[in-house]
Amino acid sequence: MGDETHPFVLTGGRAALGTLDRAHAPLLGQWLNDPEVRHGLAFRGLVDLPAEERWLQQMSEAGAERRPVTVGFAVHDTEDGEPVGVCSLEQIDHSFGRCEFGIFLGRRRGSGIGTDATRLALDWAFHMVGLRNVLLETYDFNAQARRAYERAGFREIGRRRDAVSALGRRWDAILMDAVASEFEGSVLTRLLPEG
């Protein structure tokens, strides 16, 4: 369960998704400026506390809309409730039922939290927002992330060759998507009325 300030909106086995809050800003800034954390991200800048607070405010306002174009979540470890990262559904297109997905964990990578958080975000996208397709882009060098995405329900659909420069060389960008008709393991479908 979440605490009084940051209740969880969706809980899985290893991860829980909660609301984003200004209290997360110092952690997010610390993680984004850490080379170990950011090596799999497209983000190239450095952030400070005011920048993170502005980003959190923008994400909160976007997610509060009746038909949001972005929904952001704080990712928590279910064992102790600690925030360990963020994920988001972005560029939500309600007309076509699609969006893009992004996630990063600042702590506890490799423990199954990323896979579980990704699955929960897909559940939210398909069963709460009503989307049919979620797209993400990852990079050839980030094999751990690709495996986590596949376990959560994403499939590789193509590559943009030599599209990314990272760690001193060129890499392929890998496009993956997940579709509602193939999604399994929903925790939200328990809310459906019987019959």
Side-chain angles (χ1 to χ4, degrees):
M1 281 197 253
D3 62 30
E4 299 295 323
T5 311
H6 306 289
F8 298 157
V9 294
L10 206 52
T11 302
R14 287 290 296 127
L17 301 183
T19 56
L20 293 168
D21 190 273
R22 285 182 61 149
H24 297 132
L27 273 177
L28 294 175
Q30 176 186 344
W31 295 334
L32 279 173
N33 291 332
D34 180 343
E36 182 67 26
V37 172
R38 68 188 288 147
H39 87 274
L41 304 176
F43 183 76
R44 297 291 185 242
L46 291 173
V47 297
D48 60 10
L49 186 57
E52 277 308 296
E53 288 174 339
R54 279 192 305 277
W55 180 81
L56 286 164
Q57 183 67 32
Q58 291 167 352
M59 291 294 282
S60 294
E61 289 173 3
E65 295 294 322
R66 184 177 178 96
R67 291 174 59 88
V69 294
T70 299
V71 177
F73 301 97
V75 177
H76 297 263
D77 187 328
T78 55
E79 286 187 9
D80 58 14
E82 286 296 311
V84 296
V86 297
C87 68
S88 58
L89 306 170
E90 300 178 0
Q91 297 181 33
I92 296 171
D93 183 329
H94 294 278
S95 296
F96 290 108
R98 64 188 183 190
C99 74
E100 295 184 15
F101 175 73
I103 185 172
F104 82 88
L105 297 183
R107 294 192 263 178
R108 304 179 190 179
R109 292 179 304 279
S111 65
I113 294 173
T115 298
D116 202 30
T118 299
R119 190 176 295 114
L120 292 171
L122 286 174
D123 202 357
W124 191 270
F126 297 143
H127 295 105
M128 292 302 264
V129 184
L131 305 179
R132 306 302 300 158
N133 178 283
V134 179
L135 178 77
L136 68 79
E137 179 178 296
T138 188
Y139 309 117
D140 203 25
F141 62 84
N142 202 347
Q144 181 179 6
R146 286 197 328 267
R147 286 190 302 273
Y149 297 140
E150 287 171 353
R151 286 190 300 270
F154 279 92
R155 301 291 172 256
E156 183 175 331
I157 58 170
R159 290 174 177 252
R160 294 182 72 182
R161 295 173 295 154
D162 285 341
V164 177
S165 178
L167 306 172
R169 60 181 269 216
R170 301 296 301 183
W171 302 87
D172 289 354
I174 299 171
L175 301 175
M176 303 179 82
D177 78 351
V179 294
S181 61
E182 297 174 357
F183 183 73
E184 297 177 354
S186 172
V187 298
L188 284 169
T189 53
R190 72 180 187 279
L191 302 174
L192 291 173
E194 291 185 33

